[in-house]
Structure formats: C-alpha cells, structure tokens
Amino acid sequence: MFKQSKQVKPAAPKGKAVKRVYFFGPGNQTEGKADMKDLLGGKGANLADMTTAGLPVPAGFTITTDTCGDYNDAGQVLPASLMAEVRANIAKVEKATGKKFGDAKNPLLLAARSGAKFSMPGMMDTVLNIGLNDAAVDGLAKLSGNERFAYDSYRRLINMFGDTVMGVDHHHFEHELSAVKADRGVELDTDLDTDGLKEVVARYKKVYKDHVGSDFPSDGLQQLEAAIEAVFKSWMGERAIKYREINDIRGVRGTAVNVQAMVFGNMGDDSATGVAFTRDPSTGENVFYGEFLVNAQGEDVVAGIRTPLDCKTEMAKWSVKSWKELLEVKKKLETRYRDVQDFEFTIEKGKLYMLQTRNGKRTAQAAVRIAVEMAKEKLITKEEGILRVEPSSLDQLLHPTFDPKADKTVIATGLPASPGAAVGKIAFTAEEAEQRVAQGEKIILVRRETEPADIGGMHVAEGILTSTGGMTSHAAVVARGMGTPCVAGAGMVHIDAAARTLKIAGKTYGPDDYISLDGGKSPAGEVYEGQVPTVDAALTGAFAQIMKWADEFRTLKVRTNADTPHDADVARNFGAEGIGLTRTEHMFFDPERIHNMREMILAGAADVEGRKKALAKLLPYQREDFIGIFKAMKGLPVTIRLLDPPLHEFLPHNEKDQKALGDSLGLSLEAVKQRVQQLHESNPMLGHRGDRLAVTYPEILEMQVRAIIEAAVATKKAGIKCLPEIMIPLAGTKAELDYLKKITIDTAEAVFKETKTRVEYMYGTMIEVPRAAVTADELAQTAEFFSFGTNDLTQMTFGYSRDDAGVFLPEYIKKEILERDPFQSLDVGGVGKLVDMAVKLGRGVKPDLKCGICGEHGGDPRSVEFCHNVGLNYVSCSPFRVPIARLAAAHAAIKAKQAPAKSAKSAKPAAKASKPAAKIAKPKAKAKAKRK
Ligand code: PEP
Ligand code: MG
C-alpha cells in the first residue's frame, strides 16, 4: 500500500559509464530486444525487434528511459556523455543509409519520437525532418528531384520544432499558412506550389524569431539535442502526469527517445503515410483496420487535419502492391506479437517502411472478442485470452445501451469511434466539462477535435462528439482507451466554443440542452436530440464465452450485495453464486415503513413494549422482502445482516417533518425534538450502532430473526430451497456473539415450533473492528462464518472516517503517501494483514470456517486477487461488478498457478499457519456446525 520510495530505480552510480543509446539497423547490428521495454520503452524495444525480424524499419537508435529519469532527477540537465554517444550512433545511421547528417548535398534527416514503456497516445512530442536548414533543403530538393516536397518538409520542421520544442503556439504557424493559402487562392495544403511553400518557410522563420527571440537553429545537432530535451521535459509535463494518474501508470522513470532516419510519405503521389490496427479496435472484428493519406507526412493522419482514406476500401485503388504488402505485414505482426498491433507505416515512392508497432488499445468489447477469437485460432492459450481482458474494463460492457424501441431523432452522424450509449448536457471545453461534472451534471464533451490538454474533461464526460478527425484522431484513440462512447468527425456539426453553441442543420443547441450519442452504431455513429432511454446490458456472445472460461479457472466464489429481489435477479443473471450482504436497514427507508421505524425509535429507551408494538408492524414487510430475495436466489446462500446504522439516521431532522411525525404518533413537537436530541451522538460511526443496537434492544434482533426464519419456512413450504445466513454486524467480542446467538436460536426455535417446520440457517459475524480480527480464534468458536466488512475495517484500522476522508485522502494520493484510496482498493499491508490473520485464527479453530468479504473491495480486481491469495471462500460485490469479480478471480487463480512459489506463502489455508492460543477452549460441537 505505502510507497517505499518515489524513485523506482536509483540513478546510475556516479563515475560508471552507462550505456544510454541502443542502435537498430541492418546487418545484425541491432542492440535492443523485444523484452527491453523497461529500458527502451515499448516503441524502442519493438523497433529493435521488428528490425531483427526483417520487417522494413528505417535505421535509428533509442536513448534509454533511464536517461530521461537521470535528466529529470538532475534538474533537467542532459548527462554529459549523452551527445557523444548520440553522435557515434548517427554515424552508424549514416552508414546504413548512405546519407550524411548536416550535409548540404546528401542530407540525412532524422525523426525524434518519444516512447515510454506504456504507450501514452498524444501525450508526448514528436519532431520530424531534423537536420534541415537553408542549405540542406536545396540538397534534399535536388536529391529527390522534388523541390516542393523539400520545402514542405522544411516548413513542417520549423512548425514542429517551434511548437513542441520551443513552445510557440501552433496557431501562429497555422495563421501564416492560412494567409498564404488565401493569398494564392488555394484550399488544401497540398495545393500550395513550391513558391507558396517557400513563402510559408520565410513566414514561419519570422514567427519563430518573433516568439523565441533568436533565429531558427540551422545546426542539425543543435536541433536534435533540443528535441531530445523537449521529449524528456514533456514526460514531466502536466498532461503526461495527468495521463499517468488517470491510467494508474506508476513506477516508470521516464520515456525513451527514438531517433530514426526519416522516410517520406510526402514525396509525391506515389508516397503515403498511415496508421493501422491488425484487427478492428472498436469491435474486435478480424479485419485490417487502417487509414492513410497520400502525399502526407507523419502527424497528418492522427491530427485529424485532413480526413484520411480507409485502407480496406481505398488502398488497392491507389496501389495494389502496397495493399498486398500491408496485408502480409498484418499476418507477420500478429504471428510475432500474438496480439493486436497498432502500427504506423510510410510508403516512400512505393516502398513500404514500418515506423512503429505496439499492442493496440481497444475497447472492452473488442478486447473480449479478440481474446476469445485469438484463443480459438490457437494464437494464444485460453489462460492468455482471459488475462488479456482487464477485469475492470468489463464495466463498459455492463452498462446500458439505447433502447431499440425508443423514439430517436438522429440529428447528426459521424464515425463510430468508441462504442456505447451516452446521454448528457453539452459542454464546449474540457474545463467546463470538469467543472460541471463536479457539480453533479452528466456531460457530453463537444469539440471540433480534442487535444491532449483535454484529457481531464474527456475522462469525466459521458461521451465525446467531434466535428473533424478520423478513426485514429486523438478523440477516437483516447475515448476508446477510456471506454467513453465517442462519435468523431461529424462534419455536419458546427461548433462555436466561444459562443457555446452547437449548430446542426439550422438548429442551435446550447449548454442546457441534452443530446445522446451512440458511438458503436454501424456503419455510422449517431447523435440524437434529447435524452434517449437506455436498456440493461446482457451477457452474450464473446462476453459470455470469456466468462465461461473464467469460471473454469477461478476457485473463489462470487456473491453479490443486494437488498431487493430485483438486484438479486440482476446479479444472478450476471453469475452471482449467492448473496454476501443484504443490508436490512435499506428496507426501512421505504416511505411506508419509515413511519413504523420512527415509531419504534421514538419509544423511550425503557419502553420495550412500545418498541415491540412498532416492530410488530415492520415484521410483515421484512418477511415479504426476505421471501422475495430467497425466491430470487433459488437455493443459493443468502447472508442477511441485522440492523447496523445508528438510529438517529432514520429520524427527521427538520422541524416540519418532526412535527408531522409527532402529529401522527400523538406526540408533541417538543417530545420528538427531545428524543432526536437524546439520540444525537458525537461519533455515531463509533457509537450506538451495529450489534450494539441488538445488545441494548434485543427485540430488534428478535423481530429480524423471526422475519428471516418465517420467510425461510414460507419459501420452503413453497417448494423452493433457501439457505439463510444470519450475520451480526460490528461485533468485537465473543461474549457479544454468545449473547446474541442465544436469542437468535431461541427465536428460531420458537418459529420452528409454531410452524412445525425446521429450516437450516447459519449464524455468523462480520469482521469489521480490529479487535474482532485479532481475536478471531475466539469469535470463531461462536460464529459459523466470517464476512469481512472491509469498509468499516479500513475505517477503524486507519482511523480514517469513511464520511470525512474525502477531504484529505486525495492529497495523500497526490503526494504519493498512499498509493491508492484504501476505501476502494484494499490496503494489503495493514487491513489485509488483519484479514489474513483473522482467517488463519478462525480456521485454526474451525478448519472449514467459511470466510468472505462484503466491503466495497469485493468488486475491486486488485483486492479480489488478494482475497484469492489469503484463501477466502468468496467475494461479494454489487450486481454490476459480479462479472468483473468473476474475471478478476480467474486472473488471480491463473497468476497464482503461474507463480506458485510466490503466492503459496499467502494462499495457504490458514489451518496450520497459526495455532489458536492454547487456553482457548475447543469449540463445542454444536448441531449447527454442520450447516453450510
Ligand atoms: C463494511 O463495513 O464493509 C460493510 C459491508 O458494511 P457497511 O458498508 O454497511 O458498513
Ligand atoms: Mg460495516
């Protein structure tokens, strides 16, 4: 839980020469390997590997991630030896290409690209055409026989270098480009002739000088050094940090920089550049999925400036040879990497080059389909298929889709960039989205095109709509990664962010208007007016298949926390194997019942008869609730937790409601106020709640136990099996459990006698206070099962109030004092230790003691893995997290099998790990010990 140190790996020892640069290129000279992602980043390791595999990769070298770490640790100073090593490697690239860096006649141009261990789309910076200057541009023109291309490349360098390295806002360059195009009466960049581009270069240089204060550097090495620094700096930039935060990327020191010989997609109409996935990252379908632009360079495709062409339908029309080569590449990449690849390519005068490949980001829907199909194709094993699907990503599949029967008015269509149904009000900037979501609104973020700085707003939005850009534009890629529905490139949508209007076909929508969007609709994503109703998700197709496979591997059972027959039903459909927690108090908040509850509470402390009278009115309600749940669970175990919250939570706190309550009970307002006052507690979470209520007012427990047992009898009589587990909340001592157990048994026996019917039931306890955990061997003598209430156990172990921790916990996370919120993901080092200890102590007394967890952590994949490893019998979570927990449990089982030595330590059944204290009496062999 606690981070030991912010620095993951120490900087290289002083004085010792460190290898910082790894070459890749022809003739067995490649120094990197596929498994060197930590040091070379994902892109660097894969460039080395693709080169080794004989794929056409332009020669280059990778500067290590450690160098970036060292650079930032040293206060943003490049290591002294770095540039000498870079120069030596440039010499190798010169040899491989037959060109010379800085040469006026035969210039070698370089690209510098970032590449961390984990891909961070749009987060880091790229500079192309490094090495161009006034002399080299002429050399390039002569060499390529294409002066236009040379000046196009030059203006791109000045723009990219000025923007990403020196921080000159891109729009200053854009402004000049538009001015030159307007002067010359052309619309597209590609329509500008050489003279036009020469003018653009001159204007760009002026923009550069005006904003930077010095001339654009003509020395290639100086350009490269500055570009390397800029990439290293961007690692610590706000948007990169935010991306890592959102994606929980930790323990990585920095990004690598990949420097590579330039190849050109903008050398004419026989050149192109593109990006592609080996399968559809949106649906998972096994088809080539890519886009390309003829006579274009690098970032044009992802930037969404020109709308690219679909490779599948257009590439063969342009070049059959290139299309065939790309299909071959698809096969080769998947066979080698055994996963979907997201790759970039450039075709220079008809010759194909690979610029990068990496595992493709995909939607949850695609991840599931790809995992299932690749396992069926025997490209991967079933276990690998299961491990490929991130349990928490299933959340995307469990959420509603639009009701097919609902009336919808389609107001726009665009690319189906990220599937799912989203409904919300319109926000026009990322900041606006963040602010309004913080105020509780549901928002659709509407932008011409998103950019990396929008990441925060994109993260909180229900859905994203853009008016430009393709399937691989920033909005599309990031939305898919986040699982946020997105319709991209809806060209008929006119967005005016300043005026906060969205105009479609003459109609104007503003920030208070609702729109709905479906980012998975085929063949086009759709935008609808207003709020379209949704329907629940179903577990079918590949999703059902992966769940089935998960069940084959997992050993941990998955139950649900459900308080109503409807929730129980939903959970059963998602595969719940029982109920791990029914919070009975939720049943009392119903308007019909709250009155009787209040009547019960308002009875004076000594007025046992008054309380019993009110409780008698609540009994039939409770019984009916339990019958409904038992029937829904059809014989699966149902754990019912007796009343837990402090009583004052049920009372009205404003005078109007207090008066109404008093009137209905024949009490004065003053009397009601007085009782409310009496029930006030300074520290209710540590006050009169949990089993303390039952100890002071046993009649509450009697009513609830009676309702449970009568419901079980009625269910049995209706021919349906049921297995109630009566659970005591917040116990801390064996004596409490003993006292309450006697009343429980007496009450149950009375019902059996009255109804002449016996049913099985169990009596157990929650482990929610540290004392219960450390004396679990004593509690296990009375309790027949344990259920870890890790919400309260976390609260009481840390001493962090569940209700108040929101004020300071975010600061703890931000400052990395805590790695994550312990209320969301179990604190393995502290709370987990108590859980582990309690399981061992309990099973030391009762080797078969059933142990589960019902706190929020039961649906958190990390915590589920922990629960598997400490040998719990089940986890219990909210209905919609049941599939997530099933998959997480399978992950845990597979990982434990793959690393038996590591997990065996903690996973051992507790029986012999820790003996119960000798003086504790052996548990009496009670009849109920047999119940399961
Ligand atoms: C718990 O404390 O973990 C628990 C499940 O109970 P509640 O959240 O109702 O306090
Ligand atoms: Mg609790």
Side-chain angles (χ1 to χ4, degrees), residues 1-2 767-770 772-774 787-800 818 820-839 853 855-858 863 866-867 870 872:
M1 185 73 220
F2 293 97
I767 304 286
E768 297 185 281
V769 301
V774 298
S787 176
F788 291 91
T790 43
N791 302 333
D792 273 310
L793 193 58
T794 300
Q795 166 168 265
M796 303 209 202
T797 303
F798 275 100
Y800 294 165
L818 288 177
R820 38 186 80 85
D821 180 344
F823 288 105
Q824 284 173 18
S825 193
L826 196 89
D827 158 43
V828 169
V831 179
K833 223 176 199 172
L834 286 174
V835 172
D836 192 21
M837 177 199 290
V839 172
I853 181 176
E856 279 309 295
H857 307 89
S863 314
F866 167 81
C867 293
V870 293
L872 294 194

Side-chain angles (χ1 to χ4, degrees), residues 584-585 641-647 649-650 681 684-698 700-701 704 727-732 736 740 765-766 768-769 792 796:
T584 48
E585 63 269 17
R641 197 250 320 261
L642 302 187
L643 193 66
D644 182 34
L647 295 182
E649 283 189 13
F650 297 96
E681 291 178 291
M685 272 309 213
L686 299 177
H688 194 186
R689 61 169 286 216
D691 67 342
R692 295 154 207 169
L693 292 169
V695 168
T696 47
Y697 304 141
I700 299 179
L701 176 139
Q704 291 201 291
M727 182 159 79
I728 304 296
L730 223 71
E736 272 170 297
L740 298 174
T765 186
M766 293 182 82
E768 297 185 281
V769 301
D792 273 310
M796 303 209 202

